[in-house]
Amino acid sequence: MFIVPHNRKIAVIGLGYVGLPVAVAFGRQAAIDGNQTIGFDINTKRIAELKTGQDHTGEVTAAELAETRIHYTNQIDELKKADFFIVAVPTPVDDANIPDLTPMLKASVSVGKALKKGDIVVYESTVYPGATEEDCVPVLERESGLKCGVDFTVGYSPERINPGDKEHTFTKIKKVVSGQDAKTLDIVADVYSSVVTAGVYRAASIKVAEAAKVIENTQRDLNIALMNELSLIFHRMGIDTVDVLQAAGTKWNFLPFRPGLVGGHCIGVDPFYLTHKAQKLGYHPQVILAGRQVNDDMGRFVAQEAIKEMLKAGRPLHGARVAVLGLTFKEDCPDLRNSKVIHIINELRSYGIEPLVHDAIADKDEAKHEYGVDLVDLNQLNNLDHIIIAVAHKQYKALSAEQLKAMLAPGARISDVKCALDREAMGKVGVALWRL
């Protein structure tokens, strides 16, 4: 017999950019109800950090953490106190862009060891349709010795966290929910409804919910790919892409997408989950993969155009001092996962240029570990032969035209990937600006 929804003891597995906001939402409600939410992560450093009331990702403030009742742990035995498990771990791709379900399957092992009769497991991690029931359920059954659909059930509720976005937060985004049967769906919907003020949408099935998530980001990926391809064409025509998009944007139904680097843990990854599953079923998706190829090539294009700008300005390539501003995958967010700025850096290195990389908010140790990049301080950026503003952090947008010019050697230029700078202001101080 399933426990009624309002008595459910919640455990969130994975306390990263996705899992922590989920745990905080339930932990805040737990504090009100006199209960406690369990926050589980295998990273002992992360657990220790959260116990001090700090979140290095910046997704949750110290004040927000203080409002919660969350028991942080890395001990599987502690999970046995829960009966509603939310799995929110990363689902990356490997170097060959093949989906890597390892974190999700390992999380399933941990949950399986804690499962009891009547428990419910809900996955939030982005996957291809079928992964919950075909890949994760067998692990849960093996580890627990229980039968899915008889002793416990599963559901899927795709995460919609947008790292760095303080407006569209977990409780303010409509939550898609699903369950393997009607009773489970009712409970899953009620549990999430208790904290998500935007409400829930009941998907027809777990596979439908999985598919809905993966196409959300695939659609965005393809729209950006179109803008990037237009940018490649317009550069050959000598036309400024942003000028074109602003003119086209005067039509009421023109979609306001912009060209740029497409990285991160969602848009640059999720389409590969869908194409992988399609290929296993004997269909080769052409449009999706073509869009991925266009987007993945943009870093190299930016670097090559920067080299051309240096040559036009008469700047030497040998021993050139080129600054790359920004390494995270998006502006005003410290997340370094799957950042495509590294493609710019690697292309510059292929020309014998070791760029000076600065990021206003990224962790230096993480940058070194993930990409082998030693971040430099801003005061080291002087007498530069070129500047590439790769990520539009607010700290870079706050730099005046005079400050940027002072960082450059005479006649040197700037590549503005995200159109963060005022073109007119830069022109007034005599600095030529290249824009994607």
Side-chain angles (χ1 to χ4, degrees):
M1 178 67 67
F2 288 118
I3 303 172
V4 292
H6 64 271
N7 287 334
R8 284 282 163 177
K9 184 65 177 286
I10 310 295
V12 180
I13 294 84
L15 300 175
Y17 283 88
V18 172
L20 183 61
V22 175
V24 165
F26 283 106
R28 186 184 296 114
Q29 188 62 44
I32 295 172
D33 297 339
N35 297 319
Q36 189 178 57
T37 294
I38 298 171
F40 178 90
D41 201 292
I42 60 173
N43 187 333
T44 55
K45 184 179 178 181
R46 179 64 165 163
I47 293 296
E49 172 193 56
L50 292 172
K51 283 183 176 179
T52 67
Q54 301 297 319
D55 169 32
H56 79 275
T57 70
E59 289 301 300
V60 180
T61 67
E64 289 170 328
L65 286 174
E67 295 174 350
T68 69
R69 283 194 65 186
I70 303 175
H71 174 59
Y72 300 107
T73 182
N74 63 347
Q75 300 299 311
I76 294 177
D77 282 346
E78 296 290 329
L79 288 176
K80 294 178 180 178
K81 300 175 183 177
D83 53 57
F84 192 98
F85 303 87
I86 299 173
V87 179
V89 296
T91 44
V93 293
D94 62 19
D95 291 340
N97 292 322
I98 303 299
D100 181 6
L101 292 180
T102 301
M104 198 165 165
L105 296 178
K106 286 185 175 180
S108 299
V109 170
S110 297
V111 172
K113 292 180 184 298
L115 271 184
K116 309 174 299 301
K117 289 188 176 182
D119 288 357
I120 294 176
V121 184
V122 177
Y123 290 88
E124 289 209 3
S125 306
T126 302
V127 292
Y128 45 75
T132 298
E133 294 158 294
E134 297 166 13
D135 296 292
C136 297
V137 164
V139 177
L140 295 173
E141 291 182 327
R142 183 190 71 215
E143 297 299 326
S144 67
L146 302 174
K147 183 68 175 176
C148 185
V150 177
D151 301 312
F152 71 92
T153 56
V154 296
Y156 183 80
S157 181
E159 62 92 359
R160 282 175 164 173
I161 297 294
N162 184 26
D165 189 337
K166 302 307 180 185
E167 179 181 355
H168 302 96
T169 54
F170 173 70
T171 61
K172 298 176 183 177
I173 305 171
K174 179 164 283 193
K175 203 80 170 75
V176 174
V177 296
S178 64
Q180 71 180 91
D181 55 44
K183 181 180 291 187
T184 300
L185 176 56
D186 284 342
I187 296 175
V188 173
D190 285 345
V191 168
Y192 278 106
S193 293
S194 70
V195 294
V196 178
T197 57
V200 301
Y201 174 86
R202 298 178 179 226
S205 68
I206 288 177
K207 286 184 179 180
V208 166
E210 291 169 326
K213 166 57 180 175
V214 80
I215 72 164
E216 287 175 13
N217 288 323
T218 300
Q219 183 185 66
R220 292 177 65 197
D221 191 41
L222 285 171
N223 276 305
I224 298 171
L226 174 60
M227 297 302 107
N228 279 332
E229 188 159 72
L230 291 175
S231 179
L232 297 175
I233 295 169
F234 292 147
H235 272 90
R236 285 163 172 77
M237 297 178 175
I239 303 173
D240 186 275
T241 306
V242 175
D243 287 343
V244 176
L245 295 178
Q246 287 175 340
T250 59
K251 190 180 180 186
W252 74 92
N253 61 352
F254 186 83
L255 301 178
F257 286 92
R258 292 290 184 91
L261 304 179
V262 183
H265 69 109
C266 284
I267 304 179
V269 173
D270 295 356
F272 287 122
Y273 275 77
L274 186 57
T275 58
H276 172 75
K277 185 68 172 182
Q279 288 170 327
K280 288 183 69 174
L281 295 172
Y283 178 77
H284 178 73
Q286 300 178 59
V287 175
I288 298 173
L289 288 175
R292 281 278 70 245
Q293 186 64 57
V294 169
N295 286 340
D296 277 349
D297 283 346
M298 292 309 292
R300 183 166 63 251
F301 171 72
V302 168
Q304 291 171 351
E305 291 299 305
I307 294 296
K308 292 177 184 178
E309 291 296 304
M310 290 173 63
L311 293 174
K312 291 175 185 176
R315 307 309 304 172
L317 295 186
H318 180 69
R321 289 175 57 80
V322 177
V324 175
L325 303 187
L327 181 60
T328 63
F329 91 88
K330 67 182 291 188
E331 61 272 11
D332 304 325
C333 175
D335 194 348
L336 286 166
R337 289 176 297 173
N338 194 34
S339 172
K340 299 307 180 182
V341 179
I342 193 62
H343 291 179
I344 297 175
I345 294 168
N346 289 338
E347 186 68 12
L348 291 174
R349 286 171 173 169
S350 74
Y351 285 87
I353 298 171
E354 185 58 43
L356 301 165
V357 184
H358 176 273
D359 193 291
I361 58 177
D363 182 84
K364 288 188 174 183
D365 292 336
E366 188 178 353
K368 181 67 173 178
H369 179 265
E370 291 294 322
Y371 301 111
V373 171
D374 292 304
L375 295 179
V376 303
D377 296 329
L378 197 63
N379 59 17
Q380 294 177 252
L381 303 182
N382 51 67
N383 196 35
L384 298 170
D385 295 293
H386 199 77
I387 294 175
I388 300 175
I389 300 182
V391 185
H393 290 318
K394 61 184 178 182
Q395 291 89 340
Y396 302 145
K397 291 192 286 188
L399 293 172
S400 68
E402 290 77 11
Q403 287 175 308
L404 287 165
K405 182 178 181 180
M407 296 164 64
L408 293 166
R413 303 180 177 188
I414 295 177
S415 293
D416 184 8
V417 176
K418 294 290 289 184
C419 299
L421 305 181
D422 186 318
R423 181 172 50 178
E424 184 177 342
M426 295 308 302
K428 286 181 179 179
V429 298
V431 175
L433 198 63
W434 178 92
R435 308 198 301 183
L436 182 60

